[in-house]
Amino acid sequence: MINILIADDSLIMRQIIKKNLQDIHDKLHIVEVVTGRKAILEMERANFNILFLDLSMPDVKHKHIDGMDVVTYLHQQKKIENMWVVIISANLTKKAVIKLEKFNITNFIPKPFDKDKFMSVVLPIFSELEEDFEEL
Amino acid sequence: MDYNYEEVCEVLGIDKELLEELLKEFLQNIDQNLEDIKKDLDTKDYSSLDKRVHALKGVCANLRLKQLEVELVCFDKLLKNSQLDTSFSYNETFDRLMVYSWSVKEYFIDLM
């Protein structure tokens, strides 16, 4: 079973990501969250193989924690080494990409969603995960 | 307005049934979204407005609702450049958004 966390405030975006993932693999456990805060809470409770992370996720109820804050948390908790982080965002500026690469995050998918781009990033990750599972 | 279901399904990697569900979801929320934008404009809450416009722009871009997306990109740029000081510019931009949202709702009336 591959454990996946999708952190994106857009229900429509989450549905599109989920459908494309289900087309790749039939044994997925997918958790969806709409804020950076909830993403951190989920990652404290469970381990995920892949995190799909939006950079901009408004939180009206709590202190705003955006995608970059989640990445900082992952870095501080040394979780980046143990999971694949895929940034899906409309805000992939050069500055943001440089900052993310410093955290060893190199998988980027720009919005609007495009299946071909998504697959070009995600299929190699699934291949590597399956190889890892076979070795276990 | 023109909308090619086949092309949008292809680029999103989803079937027509799911695309229609997503469009329904969008159509159910568009009036509330525009109402919230208007409220932020009236109260000059530009921080909230920026987030709302940005989020709606993203949804329209993903669903390939081109005309609405173009208007929201303009709105977003106006906000980023702080050009919303005059009531004329924001009212005009908001009015165009309303007009395009009506045309979208009219086009997808069978889904509503």
Side-chain angles (χ1 to χ4, degrees):
Chain A
M1 186 69 78
I2 296 177
N3 287 316
I4 293 174
L5 179 62
I6 303 173
D8 196 308
D9 60 315
S10 163
L11 169 67
I12 288 171
M13 194 65 204
R14 295 196 308 275
Q15 298 263 69
I16 295 169
I17 295 170
K18 207 159 67 169
K19 173 68 176 69
N20 278 272
L21 289 172
Q22 285 162 344
D23 284 346
I24 301 174
H25 206 283
D26 56 359
K27 286 180 183 162
L28 302 176
H29 176 245
I30 300 175
V31 176
E32 299 172 46
V33 293
V34 297
T35 63
R37 182 179 159 275
K38 286 183 179 166
I40 290 173
L41 286 175
E42 284 298 333
M43 286 185 289
E44 280 175 352
R45 286 187 347 175
N47 291 321
F48 293 92
N49 300 108
I50 313 176
L51 164 65
F52 289 92
L53 181 64
D54 185 13
L55 291 181
S56 173
M57 292 176 285
D59 190 341
V60 288
K61 289 182 186 162
H62 302 90
K63 180 184 171 289
H64 181 68
I65 296 175
D66 68 15
M68 206 59 92
D69 297 324
V70 174
V71 169
T72 305
Y73 159 83
L74 290 172
H75 175 71
Q76 286 167 351
Q77 300 295 315
K78 300 193 186 337
K79 283 180 184 274
I80 291 179
E81 295 88 345
N82 303 319
M83 73 192 299
W84 292 90
V85 180
V86 180
I87 306 293
I88 302 191
S89 176
N91 298 327
L92 284 171
T93 59
K94 200 175 173 184
K95 192 180 163 191
V97 168
I98 290 170
K99 195 171 174 184
L100 289 159
E101 282 176 341
K102 282 182 184 164
F103 290 116
N104 287 328
I105 292 171
T106 54
N107 294 296
F108 305 109
I109 299 174
K111 287 182 182 177
F113 188 93
D114 180 287
K115 183 191 176 179
D116 291 341
K117 179 64 192 165
F118 182 83
M119 291 301 174
S120 72
V121 172
V122 174
L123 284 176
I125 293 176
F126 272 82
S127 297
E128 289 216 24
L129 277 173
E130 293 207 324
E131 277 176 28
D132 292 346
F133 287 149
E134 278 168 21
E135 282 171 18
L136 290 173
Chain B
M1 181 180 160
D2 193 26
Y3 194 78
N4 190 326
Y5 274 92
E6 212 173 303
E7 266 180 29
V8 179
C9 285
E10 177 74 25
V11 78
L12 295 181
I14 61 176
D15 55 25
K16 194 179 175 194
E17 198 183 342
L18 179 55
L19 177 57
E20 285 184 343
E21 266 181 46
L22 300 180
L23 285 165
K24 269 186 212 170
E25 167 74 25
F26 170 80
L27 294 164
Q28 277 165 8
N29 291 312
I30 185 69
D31 287 343
Q32 185 61 54
N33 283 325
L34 291 172
E35 203 177 295
D36 291 340
I37 286 173
K38 183 76 176 84
K39 203 169 129 189
D40 286 342
L41 278 169
D42 291 342
T43 57
K44 298 188 190 299
D45 187 346
Y46 295 134
S47 167
S48 169
L49 182 63
D50 185 43
K51 285 170 192 156
R52 288 191 204 283
V53 169
H54 182 80
L56 191 57
K57 184 185 74 173
V59 173
C60 292
N62 278 320
L63 293 176
R64 269 61 179 182
L65 297 166
K66 297 283 181 199
Q67 285 178 314
L68 262 181
E69 186 202 346
V70 167
E71 281 312 314
L72 286 156
V73 167
C74 289
F75 208 152
D76 203 28
K77 278 184 187 162
L78 276 174
L79 281 162
K80 298 260 181 317
N81 297 329
S82 301
Q83 290 172 6
L84 281 176
D85 296 339
T86 64
S87 58
F88 174 73
S89 55
Y90 70 66
N91 280 332
E92 192 190 35
T93 311
F94 184 76
D95 286 349
R96 280 205 306 272
L97 262 185
M98 289 297 283
V99 169
Y100 285 122
S101 77
W102 289 329
S103 73
V104 168
K105 284 192 284 186
E106 200 175 23
Y107 187 86
F108 294 110
I109 193 123
D110 291 344
L111 295 178
M112 294 176 76

